[in-house]
């Protein structure tokens, strides 16, 4: 009797891989669409990245047990994640409200260790050597600011207004003895105008930094104009 040839078992189908790949791609697209960079705290992210890499140049290193212990201590010492959660909605609201101003480079919305920072920039607000607001130029922006401070996301916060100047010394005819007084007067005038629009002065403090904290190069007229600024900070609880 002739022996029957053994048939090799059929190879399993790989058709499912196409469906699986499509599902993974869709999930990736979903999470990318859900991610909102404004919810991230830039300072915390930078600190966390530095802790994980343990390298000033950004390169990763393998960690010994001792380094893992140090990493745990470093992460534990970072500012509370609650701060980023609390200020995330405020930042999204600010980006929406001040979109016309950010497009024209009149305002920047950033965050740092102090909290959420709204910077009023350029000659739109102050002329060189002057603490008087250019009301005709910036009235709409100031109205948006007063509206923002009454939004639920920030209405219970504390704020600080910080005045700055460029590096040009005040003139001999100036009413201000130095850039210290000039920068403080700029902060105070912004607060007075916002108070007239209905904000609660009791939630605010003011400070003047003269020309000691420039954001741009004072070597150009444009840099000087942007350094004549006022920063309004929605304060982190640790900076009250």
């Amino acid at each position: 009797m002739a022996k029957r040839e053994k048939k090799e078992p059929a190879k399993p189908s790989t058709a499912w891989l196409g469906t699986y790949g499509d599902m993974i791609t869709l999930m990736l697209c979903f999470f990318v669409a859900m991610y909102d960079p404004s919810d991230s705290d830039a300072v915390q992210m930078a600190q966390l990245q530095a802790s994980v890499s343990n390298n000033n140049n950004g390169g990763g290193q393998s960690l010994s047990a001792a380094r893992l212990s140090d990493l745990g201590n470093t992460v534990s010492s970072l500012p509370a994640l609650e701060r980023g959660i609390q200020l995330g909605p405020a930042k999204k609201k600010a980006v929406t409200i001040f979109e016309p101003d950010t497009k024209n480079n009149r305002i920047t919305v950033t965050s740092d260790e102090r909290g959420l920072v709204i910077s009023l920039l350029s000659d739109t607000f102050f002329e060189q050597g002057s603490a008087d607001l250019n009301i005709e130029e910036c009235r709409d922006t100031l109205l948006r600011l007063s509206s923002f401070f009454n939004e639920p996301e920030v209405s219970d916060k504390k704020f600080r207004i910080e005045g700055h100047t460029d590096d040009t010394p005040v003139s001999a005819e100036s009413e201000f003895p130095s850039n210290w007084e000039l920068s403080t007067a700029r902060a105070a005038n912004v607060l007075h105008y916002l108070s007239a629009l209905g904000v609660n002065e009791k939630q605010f403090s003011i400070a003047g930094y003269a020309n000691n904290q420039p954001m741009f190069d004072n070597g150009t007229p444009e840099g000087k104009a942007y350094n004549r600024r006022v920063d309004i900070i929605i304060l982190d609880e640790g900076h009250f």
Side-chain angles (χ1 to χ4, degrees):
M1 178 189 258
K3 292 182 179 181
R4 294 182 179 178
E5 294 183 0
K6 292 183 178 180
K7 293 184 179 180
E8 294 183 3
K11 294 182 179 180
S13 173
T14 58
W16 63 274
L17 288 174
T19 303
Y20 177 76
D22 290 341
M23 181 185 69
I24 295 298
T25 302
L26 289 172
M27 289 181 64
L28 175 62
C29 292
F30 172 76
F31 285 113
V32 168
M34 291 291 291
Y35 175 69
D36 186 349
S38 65
D39 286 337
S40 301
D41 188 284
V43 176
Q44 290 180 8
M45 292 297 291
Q47 289 175 319
L48 183 59
Q49 183 179 4
S51 299
V52 173
S53 67
N54 200 25
N55 187 330
N56 291 333
N57 295 323
Q61 294 182 2
S62 59
L63 299 176
S64 63
R67 286 185 177 178
L68 284 173
S69 300
D70 291 340
L71 174 59
N73 293 333
T74 302
V75 172
S76 297
S77 67
L78 293 179
L81 290 177
E82 183 180 356
R83 179 180 65 135
I85 295 172
Q86 289 178 344
L87 291 180
K91 186 172 184 179
K92 287 196 289 187
K93 178 66 71 172
V95 168
T96 301
I97 289 178
F98 300 118
E99 183 179 6
D101 306 290
T102 56
K103 283 184 176 179
N104 293 326
N105 295 322
R106 294 181 174 185
I107 279 183
T108 61
V109 179
T110 57
S111 61
D112 61 22
E113 71 280 358
R114 297 169 296 173
L116 181 63
V117 183
I118 300 171
S119 296
L120 315 183
L121 304 168
S122 81
D123 287 339
T124 300
F125 298 94
F126 298 102
E127 298 291 343
Q128 189 172 32
S130 173
D132 296 329
L133 280 160
N134 295 331
I135 299 300
E136 294 302 321
E137 293 291 329
C138 64
R139 179 181 286 108
D140 290 344
T141 301
L142 294 171
L143 286 170
R144 282 189 281 273
L145 274 168
S146 65
S147 173
F148 172 71
F149 291 130
N150 290 311
E151 292 289 339
E153 291 85 353
V154 297
S155 59
D156 61 341
K157 307 293 184 184
K158 296 290 186 181
F159 313 103
R160 185 167 68 238
I161 303 179
E162 300 178 350
H164 301 269
T165 70
D166 60 33
D167 64 350
T168 305
V170 297
S171 67
E173 296 79 22
S174 174
E175 61 180 300
F176 304 105
S178 71
N179 278 329
W180 289 103
E181 289 80 6
L182 172 58
S183 61
T184 305
R186 285 175 173 169
N189 284 346
V190 170
L191 178 56
H192 291 328
Y193 196 90
L194 291 175
S195 177
L197 293 175
V199 303
N200 184 2
E201 281 190 352
K202 294 181 179 179
Q203 293 177 268
F204 287 80
S205 60
I206 65 171
Y209 291 96
N211 59 305
N212 292 299
Q213 296 184 4
M215 288 181 64
F216 302 90
D217 181 10
N218 275 307
T220 65
E222 293 80 10
K224 286 180 179 290
Y226 283 117
N227 286 332
R228 295 193 290 273
R229 74 186 192 280
V230 166
D231 292 337
I232 304 176
I233 301 97
I234 294 84
L235 292 168
D236 168 38
E237 290 182 1
H239 287 79
F240 284 1

